Amino acid sequence: MKDDLEYEPLNSKTLPERLKNLESITSLIGNKSEEWKVTEVGDGNLNLVFVVEGKQASLIVKQALPYVRLVGDSWPLPLSRSFFEHEILCRQGERDPGSVPQIYYFNKKQAIIVMEMLSPHVILRKKLIAGEYVNGLGKTLGNFCARTAFRGSDLSLSTKEKKKDTALFQGNDELMAITENLIFTDPYFEAEMNHHTEGLEPVIKTLRSDVSLKQEVQHMLLKFTSNTETLLHGDLHSGSVMCTDSETKIIDPEFGFYGPMGFDIGMLISNFLMAYFSQPGHRTENTLEEYQNWILSTIEEIYSTFISEFSNLWRNERQGILFPKSLFENQGHSSEGALNGVLNHIWSDALGVCGIEMHRRILSLAHNADFEEIADLKTRAELEARNLIMGRQLILERNQIKDIQAIQSLARKYNSEKHL
């Protein structure tokens, strides 16, 4: 594809003609483009996504649109988000090899990324709704969060590399603005694009009337806007993870930015909690408790793995400007106390983000299928209410809740109560 062509959205008919001369693609799926099978599969909020099948293999072609697909051209978005997604995928692949799809081609002007076809992988959220298990899920996700958080921070990078990269990703400002509004602000007032399940009004009124809650959320937003601690995925939820029964890959990091180290793992945990609370709308009683317990055990595995791997990297790869060994080990001092302080800081931020994400996925623009696919509105509202009220407690008590076992206990408590 010529780089001097003006941007033009792909479709199933034009894609073969525009990609047929790229050796990086034809070497994988064959050079007879007329034999390629092209299927549009994009079901996300922002982009075009196609599966391209050749006789030898299949590929994914992803192209950014100049607007939010969920809303339409009334909400324009820069094509540059494709560039940032490509850059983040490259860094994630280096920092946690094998965790993200392999990239075969990138065109900045056309906002196209061609990457590995993940098959027979399925979006994790769909597997959770269906009650399916994934072996090693918590370990893979915990290691990904730890390795990307540590290796993208001042604990690992040189000052020059970190500052240069931070400046680069500040250019992803329009997607950061979406996060600032949709996640941290819109849930707590009558924003234009908000919507919610009928029957939730009493709980919503409680949340929006809680000045202390809104203050804490804004303190978390302050951290989001000012703490460039590490390069984050920025949108790490169960829709950004693809799995088989035994393999897990992370996708779609176009919302990436330099921000608090607790952001990704907090968002991830929140989506497992929402899957947990939604289960009565998807499971029969004879399988419900067992599957909910597995979800909670996966949350525990994610965070215990995160702590273990982050601690391992602290002890063996700490070479950046923060907590240098010259101040600790090289003088015969232990750095374990400093490590615990950093982990406590990450945990507090993660809990705040977790609670906020539990609110925005029910009250803001983009909802989770976990709840949305529950047809009975009365059931859906009750399950969402449990989720909303627990989210409030996580935000307000993020400095008092000490461990993942406390999260499990709270989830079980709220899961047994009625709030509407």
Side-chain angles (χ1 to χ4, degrees):
M1 182 183 296
K2 294 182 179 180
D3 289 336
D4 58 352
L5 294 175
E6 289 299 314
Y7 170 84
E8 183 180 345
L10 296 169
N11 60 50
S12 298
K13 293 182 179 180
T14 62
L15 185 149
E17 180 65 25
R18 294 174 66 190
L19 301 184
K20 67 181 182 180
N21 295 320
L22 297 172
E23 196 275 335
S24 60
I25 293 176
T26 58
S27 64
L28 293 167
I29 62 173
N31 57 14
K32 294 183 178 180
S33 61
E34 67 275 10
E35 297 180 355
W36 298 353
K37 179 182 177 182
V38 181
T39 307
E40 185 176 355
V41 297
D43 59 358
N45 297 329
L46 299 182
N47 306 294
L48 296 171
V49 182
F50 303 88
V51 173
V52 184
E53 300 176 69
K55 288 186 176 180
Q56 303 169 14
S58 299
L59 300 172
I60 287 289
V61 177
K62 181 174 181 179
Q63 185 182 37
L65 289 166
Y67 52 83
V68 177
R69 183 178 181 178
L70 176 66
V71 178
D73 56 13
S74 63
W75 188 347
L77 269 187
L79 297 175
S80 60
R81 67 184 189 273
S82 179
F83 165 77
F84 291 113
E85 177 173 7
H86 172 260
E87 293 298 301
I88 296 169
L89 284 169
C90 291
R91 286 158 178 76
Q92 289 172 340
E94 293 171 356
R95 291 165 186 172
D96 187 20
S99 63
V100 299
Q102 185 175 349
I103 296 174
Y104 300 120
Y105 173 75
F106 172 64
N107 186 304
K108 183 177 180 180
K109 189 168 186 178
Q110 296 296 324
I112 291 173
I113 306 174
V114 180
M115 66 187 87
E116 174 187 3
M117 170 69 180
L118 298 176
S119 178
H121 298 68
V122 176
I123 292 292
L124 174 59
R125 180 170 289 131
K126 295 181 180 180
K127 294 180 80 69
L128 294 173
I129 291 171
E132 298 175 5
Y133 295 87
V134 179
N135 293 326
L137 176 62
K139 185 175 182 180
T140 300
L141 293 175
N143 279 329
F144 174 82
C145 288
R147 291 166 183 167
T148 54
F150 188 94
R151 290 171 173 159
S153 76
D154 285 303
L155 293 166
S156 176
L157 300 177
S158 69
T159 296
K160 182 178 180 180
E161 183 179 6
K162 169 67 163 35
K163 297 295 189 289
K164 182 178 179 180
D165 219 41
T166 302
L168 173 69
F169 282 95
Q170 292 286 35
N172 202 15
D173 55 285
E174 293 205 40
L175 269 69
M176 292 172 70
I178 291 176
T179 300
E180 291 162 0
N181 289 313
L182 291 187
I183 295 181
F184 291 96
T185 308
D186 288 1
Y188 304 101
F189 79 110
E190 289 288 348
E192 180 181 356
M193 289 184 286
N194 285 0
H195 60 103
H196 63 264
T197 303
E198 183 180 351
L200 280 175
E201 290 79 11
V203 178
I204 296 171
K205 182 178 180 180
T206 297
L207 297 179
R208 292 179 179 166
S209 300
D210 190 335
V211 176
S212 295
L213 174 67
K214 292 187 285 188
Q215 287 174 344
E216 287 301 317
V217 171
Q218 290 301 295
H219 281 301
M220 290 304 304
L221 176 55
L222 177 61
K223 290 191 173 195
F224 177 89
T225 61
S226 59
N227 288 14
T228 59
E229 293 173 355
T230 195
L231 179 61
L232 297 170
H233 180 286
D235 197 27
L236 188 57
H237 51 72
S238 54
S240 299
V241 179
M242 296 191 71
C243 305
T244 65
D245 292 342
S246 59
E247 184 179 63
T248 298
K249 298 275 189 177
I250 292 88
I251 62 172
D252 293 348
E254 60 197 313
F255 279 83
F257 64 97
Y258 272 85
M261 281 195 273
F263 187 91
D264 277 351
I265 196 160
M267 179 173 282
L268 185 62
I269 290 172
S270 77
N271 277 261
F272 278 94
L273 287 172
M274 286 184 274
Y276 172 83
F277 282 119
S278 71
Q279 287 304 310
H282 305 295
R283 302 276 76 73
T284 57
E285 286 297 327
N286 62 334
T287 62
L288 176 59
E289 183 176 1
E290 178 184 355
Y291 196 68
Q292 283 186 306
N293 286 337
W294 178 77
I295 292 174
L296 292 184
S297 70
T298 301
I299 295 174
E300 182 174 17
E301 185 178 30
I302 290 171
Y303 204 73
S304 63
T305 301
F306 176 87
I307 291 174
S308 176
E309 180 63 5
F310 193 94
S311 300
N312 171 62
L313 296 171
W314 175 282
R315 294 166 190 140
N316 296 292
E317 292 190 13
R318 201 169 82 253
Q319 57 191 13
I321 192 172
L322 284 180
F323 303 96
K325 292 187 176 182
S326 59
L327 299 185
F328 295 94
E329 288 86 351
N330 294 353
Q331 295 186 42
H333 306 315
S334 172
S335 66
E336 293 299 298
L339 168 60
N340 289 334
V342 171
L343 288 173
N344 288 338
H345 162 74
I346 293 172
W347 174 247
S348 174
D349 283 358
L351 288 183
V353 170
C354 181
I356 294 167
E357 175 74 354
M358 291 166 77
H359 288 169
R360 80 98 172 185
R361 283 291 189 173
I362 292 172
L363 304 179
S364 192
L365 173 63
H367 290 195
N368 274 4
D370 305 74
F371 292 115
E372 292 291 288
E373 291 189 7
I374 300 172
D376 185 279
L377 295 185
K378 186 175 180 181
T379 299
R380 184 201 299 177
E382 174 56 45
L383 301 180
E384 289 180 333
R386 298 172 187 180
N387 179 77
L388 289 171
I389 296 170
M390 179 170 171
R392 175 179 179 271
Q393 184 169 354
L394 295 183
I395 296 166
L396 291 174
E397 299 181 12
R398 59 193 171 87
N399 293 315
Q400 287 78 50
I401 299 170
K402 296 303 181 184
D403 53 37
I404 206 72
Q405 288 73 31
I407 298 299
Q408 292 173 313
S409 296
L410 284 173
R412 290 191 172 101
K413 169 183 176 293
Y414 285 112
N415 186 59
S416 66
E417 297 176 351
K418 284 192 173 294
H419 297 278
L420 291 176

